[in-house]
């Protein structure tokens, strides 16, 4: 069983992500409503992959990403950034900060499932 942490301040978006990943076998989900909650979940549970929004209250997604990449315990975790920010500057900065993949909303469910499958099982 692989554990996926979905970090987004939208409950609807977290549900859409989970529904989109129903074709990927053997996944369990953890959810966080913001960046601070994501760090708490990382400390308390084993996470194999994170799907991370950028625009969230309390702590921006790129701050979460930089924490994950800078922390020896978590820096191996693949991170898919799923955001409304489609501009090249955001994409560049996020990938430079260590994101494994960068997808924009609205997203294609099959593409997200494919990316998760590749990062977890190949």
């Amino acid at each position: 069983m692989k554990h996926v942490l979905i970090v987004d301040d939208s409950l609807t978006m977290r549900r859409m992500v989970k529904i989109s990943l129903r074709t990927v076998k053997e996944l369990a989900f953890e959810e966080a409503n913001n960046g601070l909650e994501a760090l708490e979940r990382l400390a308390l549970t084993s996470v194999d992959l994170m799907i991370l929004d950028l625009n969230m209250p309390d702590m921006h997604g790129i701050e979460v990403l930089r924490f994950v990449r800078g922390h020896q315990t978590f820096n191996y975790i693949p991170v898919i950034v799923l955001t409304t920010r489609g501009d090249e500057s955001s994409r560049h900065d996020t990938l430079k900060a260590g994101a494994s993949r960068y997808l924009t909303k609205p997203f294609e469910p099959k593409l997200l499932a494919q990316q998760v499958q590749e990062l977890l099982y190949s």
Side-chain angles (χ1 to χ4, degrees):
M1 183 70 67
K2 300 289 186 178
H3 294 87
V4 176
L5 175 59
I6 304 168
V7 186
D8 197 305
D9 57 330
S10 166
L11 175 62
T12 301
M13 185 55 64
R14 294 194 309 267
R15 286 182 178 162
M16 289 175 63
V17 167
K18 287 196 296 190
I19 290 169
S20 298
L21 297 178
R22 66 178 176 234
T23 59
V24 181
K25 61 183 176 184
E26 299 187 17
L27 293 182
F29 298 99
E30 290 284 331
E31 297 182 39
N33 190 40
N34 58 55
L36 294 175
E37 198 175 305
L39 299 185
E40 290 176 11
R41 294 277 188 268
L42 283 172
L44 297 174
T45 60
S46 175
V47 173
D48 298 297
L49 182 139
M50 180 188 297
I51 298 173
L52 176 66
D53 187 18
L54 289 181
N55 300 319
M56 297 182 293
D58 298 328
M59 188 175 192
H60 193 273
I62 203 153
E63 294 176 81
V64 175
L65 179 60
R66 287 184 177 133
F67 175 85
V68 168
R69 290 298 175 245
H71 199 284
Q72 186 176 355
T73 305
F74 310 120
N75 64 7
Y76 70 93
I77 299 172
V79 177
I80 297 174
V81 169
L82 185 60
T83 181
T84 57
R85 299 181 134 207
D87 61 286
E88 190 54 39
S89 175
S90 294
R91 176 183 300 273
H92 175 268
D93 293 346
T94 304
L95 291 171
K96 187 175 178 181
S100 307
R101 301 285 194 277
Y102 190 94
L103 301 175
T104 55
K105 300 174 188 171
F107 64 97
E108 175 60 45
K110 285 184 180 179
L111 178 60
L112 178 62
Q114 177 188 4
Q115 299 291 315
V116 168
Q117 183 81 31
E118 285 178 16
L119 290 169
L120 287 177
Y121 296 107
S122 54

